[in-house]
Amino acid sequence: MEKIIINGGVPLNGEIEVSGMKNSAVAVIFACLLTEEKVTLTNVPDIIDVDVSLDILRHMGCEVSRPAAHTVEIDAAGLRGGAAPHELTVKMRASYYLLGAELGRFGHAKVGMPGGCNFGVRPIDQHIKAFESLGATVTESDTTVEATAMRGLKGGSIFFDVVTVGGTMNAMIAACCATGDTVIENAAREPHIVDLANFLNTCGANIRGAGTDTIKIRGAAKLHGCSYAIIPDMIEAGTYMIAAAATGGKLRITNVIPKHLESITAKLEEMGVDVTEEDEAVVVSACERLNNINLKTLPYPGYPTDMQPQICVLMCLASGESRLVEGVWDNRYRYVEELKRMGADITVNGRIATVTGGKPLHPARVRAVDLRAGAAMVIAALAVKGKTEIEDIRYIERGYDNIVGKLRGVGGRIQKIVEEDIF
Ligand code: EPU
C-alpha cells in the first residue's frame, strides 16, 4: 500500500514549477490518432492518466516513445481500428476521446464506458448527441459505446444542452475530419479547449472561435504531424497557490498563464491573500488572518470545480462562516468526511456546503477519495502541526506530477511510503 505522510505546520517558501495541463494533455494525446504522421508533444505532465492514455495507444498499434522528460512522440500510422482494451479505458474518464478520434479517422469506434473520479452520475449523452449531429449512429450497452458513420462524418450543427468540457473537445476532434462545416453552440470555454484547437490547427485543422461559446470547424480531409507544447496546468498552479496561503508561506509559482488563474486569484484576494502576477508566474504570500467568503463553482471563466475541495480547506482555516456551492457536479463533497476527521466543521446539504471556519484542525489518518479531494488532504495536512497519513494516493498521482518532490523542494515535510501488503 502506498501512502503520503506529512509532518505539517511548516510554511512553504520558495519556487515551484507547474507541469503541463492534465486535462489538455489527455485530449491532445487521443487527438493524435487523427493523423498518420508523427506528433511530438512537449510539456506533457508525468502522471498516471497520461501513462494510461499512452498504454491505450500502444495497445491499439501506435508507436509511442518518451525521448526526454515531459516529451512524448506518437506515431499513429499503424493504428488498428476496433475496440480499445476495456481494462484500460475504464481506468480514466478521458478515454471517451477515443470515440471522437476513431470516429474521425475510421468512421467507427467502440469504447468501454469511461471511468474516472466518482462525482455522482457522469453521463456522456451530450457527446453522443454531438456524434449523431455529425451523422453517426451510436449504440450503448452497459459496458460499451459504439459509434458508426460508414460513409464518414458530415459537418453539422451541435447545440449542447449543458456546458460540457469533454463533449466540446470530443465534438471538435470528430468534426475536424468530417466533410463540410460544423458549428458548436453553447461550447465550453476552458483554456484546454483553446489548447486542443491550437493543437489541431497546427496539424492542419481549421477551427475558429475556441474560447468563446461558438466554435466553427471547417472539415479538413487529412491532418498532418507537428510539434506542440501543452499549456501549463491551471489546477496544479491553483493547488499550490492555496497551499502557500494555507501554510502561512510565500511561493513563486512558475510556468503559469496568470490569465487562466484570475478566478482563483480573485477569491484568494477576497480572503486576504496577496497575489502578484508576473509574465509567466504568480507570487502568493499568505496573510495573518483569512476572511470567510462565499463561492460557487462554474464553467470557465468562473471559479473551477476542480479547485473546490482545495479552497474548502482554506475556508476551514478562515474566521467565520463560508458558503460553497458546487455548480458543476452533483456530488463532489465526498472529501468532507475526510476533512471532518481532521476536525473540520462542514455541513453539506445537496450542492451547498457551509463551512464554519476557525475550528482547530488536527492530524488524522485520511483517504484521498478522488484526485482533487486528495490535493485538499495534502493542503490540510501541510497546514496543521503534526503527522497526517493519506491513503489511496493513486488518485493524487493520476493528476499531479511529482507532487511529493515539488512540495519537498519548498520546505514541505512530506514523503511517500510504500508498505508491503502482509496478506
Ligand atoms: N454532462 C452531461 N452530459 C454529458 C457530459 C457532461 O450532463 O454528456 C454534465 C456532467 O454531468 C456535469 C457537467 O455536464 O454535471 C460538466 O461535465 P463536463 O463534461 O464538463 O466534465 P468532463 O469533461 O467529464 C472535465 C474534466 C474534469 C472537470 C470537468 C469540469 C477531464 C478528463 N475531466 O470532465 O476534471 O471537473 O471537465 O471542468 O478533462 C479533474 O481534473 O479532477 C476532473 C474531474
Side-chain angles (χ1 to χ4, degrees), residues 35 62 98 104 114 129 219 222 265 298 317 339 352 355 395-396:
T35 172
C62 300
L98 265 178
K129 177 178 164 173
K222 227 175 163 69
T265 298
L298 289 167
L317 301 171
L339 273 184
I352 300 174
V355 184
Y395 284 109
I396 303 175

Side-chain angles (χ1 to χ4, degrees), residues 312-329:
C312 183
V313 175
L314 222 45
M315 290 173 168
C316 294
L317 301 171
S319 45
E321 192 177 280
S322 294
R323 223 171 119 94
L324 196 49
V325 181
E326 172 53 45
V328 177
W329 296 109

Side-chain angles (χ1 to χ4, degrees), residues 57-268:
L57 264 53
R58 281 192 196 95
H59 272 83
M60 297 180 70
C62 300
E63 277 180 35
V64 176
S65 62
R66 293 173 120 164
H70 301 116
T71 300
V72 171
E73 286 178 352
I74 296 169
D75 184 338
L79 173 71
R80 294 181 294 271
H86 187 256
E87 66 281 9
L88 291 177
T89 56
V90 290
K91 281 191 184 171
M92 59 184 290
R93 183 79 181 156
S95 52
Y96 52 39
Y97 294 127
L98 265 178
L99 280 170
E102 281 201 275
L103 200 49
R105 176 138 166 210
F106 299 117
H108 177 254
K110 188 172 178 186
V111 178
M113 276 295 179
C117 294
N118 176 6
F119 315 133
V121 189
R122 295 187 73 175
I124 58 163
D125 58 301
Q126 298 300 307
H127 300 237
I128 292 172
K129 177 178 164 173
F131 299 144
E132 287 173 344
S133 302
L134 299 175
T137 303
V138 184
T139 48
E140 286 176 88
S141 75
D142 285 348
T143 52
T144 55
V145 191
E146 187 166 4
T148 312
M150 274 321 184
R151 294 201 191 108
L153 294 173
K154 286 194 180 61
S157 172
I158 300 166
F159 199 112
F160 283 120
D161 301 329
V162 292
V163 177
T164 155
V165 173
T168 303
M169 309 245 267
N170 231 344
M172 280 164 54
I173 292 172
C176 66
C177 288
T179 50
D181 294 350
T182 296
V183 179
I184 305 173
E185 309 258 23
N186 199 23
R189 293 176 284 166
E190 268 68 5
H192 28 308
I193 306 271
V194 181
D195 204 33
L196 176 66
N198 287 342
F199 165 72
L200 291 168
N201 284 343
T202 310
C203 294
N206 185 340
I207 303 174
R208 299 285 171 264
T212 76
D213 58 9
T214 305
I215 301 177
K216 295 184 176 167
I217 303 160
R218 178 145 292 175
K222 227 175 163 69
L223 299 187
H224 53 74
C226 75
S227 291
Y228 190 79
I230 303 291
I231 54 167
D233 196 315
M234 57 186 254
I235 304 300
E236 187 195 6
T239 300
Y240 294 135
M241 289 168 81
I242 290 183
T247 59
K250 179 174 179 178
L251 288 180
R252 182 163 181 272
I253 300 160
T254 63
N255 188 32
V256 304
I257 299 173
K259 173 89 189 143
H260 295 169
L261 302 171
E262 274 174 355
S263 63
I264 302 164
T265 298
K267 279 296 162 190
L268 288 182

Side-chain angles (χ1 to χ4, degrees), residues 17-20 233-240 372 400-401 406:
E17 187 181 341
V18 167
S19 300
D233 196 315
M234 57 186 254
I235 304 300
E236 187 195 6
T239 300
Y240 294 135
R372 310 301 172 187
Y400 286 91
D401 184 344
K406 288 186 187 187

